[in-house]
Amino acid sequence: MMFVGFLGCYGAIQESQCLLGTFFTCLVILFACEVAAGIWGFVNKDQIAKDVKQFYDQAFQQALMAESETNNGKAVVKTFHETLDCCGPDNAIGVITPLWREDLCPKKDSILKTVFETSSCHKKIDELFSGKLYLIGIAAIVVAVIMIFEMILSMVLCCGIRNSSVY
């Protein structure tokens, strides 16, 4: 991305048609890849949610077995728990985890709230992919519109340089 941005900036500063054309071509390729990835993600959202849950389960097992604070699994699990406000998977270990591993779960006011108000991360992941999919779509549309404007402006600048009577 830095290279593509460099092509655009340096091409505009130097008024180089070649660099601006290369910048435009890179933007078209990136746009096509983003559209393809978005379509693939929408079609395979159930598989992606399943893969995210599987990744969470592996990190959760690493965090349970680890003793040190520098474990990557513990950091991943804490990020999931804080972001989704959940604790543990759907199984029995996930239900009792808030009681014996307080360092992994978000803090609640009392033990009763910790046990009864904590939802499983598998449910929260499913809610994220089914209920919040429109937010991901809105973000993708915003990025697509910005890229279309970048492509239009780079072509306008390239054509303006070609028609310039300075040289």
Side-chain angles (χ1 to χ4, degrees):
M1 291 305 290
M2 283 180 51
F3 177 72
V4 173
F6 173 77
L7 284 176
C9 288
Y10 194 69
I13 291 170
Q14 293 295 319
E15 295 183 355
S16 169
Q17 285 184 313
C18 179
L19 289 177
L20 286 173
T22 306
F23 175 69
F24 176 79
T25 305
C26 289
L27 285 180
V28 168
I29 292 169
L30 285 172
F31 182 74
C33 290
E34 287 177 4
V35 168
I39 292 170
W40 181 85
F42 184 74
V43 169
N44 296 312
K45 66 183 174 192
D46 295 331
Q47 180 64 36
I48 294 170
K50 180 181 167 191
D51 290 344
V52 170
K53 286 189 266 189
Q54 186 178 19
F55 173 74
Y56 169 77
D57 288 341
Q58 290 172 351
F60 189 75
Q61 289 300 320
Q62 284 181 359
L64 288 179
M65 301 303 168
E67 298 297 325
S68 68
E69 284 293 322
T70 60
N71 184 11
N72 288 339
K74 188 177 272 190
V76 168
V77 168
K78 285 178 105 174
T79 302
F80 266 100
H81 290 173
E82 291 170 3
T83 304
L84 299 176
D85 192 29
C86 62
C87 185
D90 277 338
N91 54 25
I93 294 173
V95 173
I96 61 170
T97 299
L99 298 176
W100 62 282
R101 289 302 297 261
E102 295 174 351
D103 58 330
L104 291 179
C105 296
K107 301 284 188 250
K108 301 282 185 188
D109 297 338
S110 68
I111 294 176
L112 289 175
K113 280 188 176 180
T114 302
V115 173
F116 293 112
E117 291 184 9
T118 303
S119 61
S120 76
C121 288
H122 284 200
K123 289 179 188 170
K124 292 286 190 164
I125 291 169
D126 285 334
E127 288 175 13
L128 178 70
F129 280 98
S130 62
K132 308 282 190 222
L133 193 61
Y134 68 94
L135 291 176
I136 297 169
I138 290 171
I141 290 171
V142 167
V143 169
V145 168
I146 291 170
M147 287 192 74
I148 289 170
F149 276 123
E150 288 175 350
M151 289 187 280
I152 291 170
L153 292 176
S154 68
M155 273 294 103
V156 166
L157 185 58
C158 190
C159 291
I161 290 170
R162 182 183 320 137
N163 296 333
S164 174
S165 60
V166 174
Y167 297 109

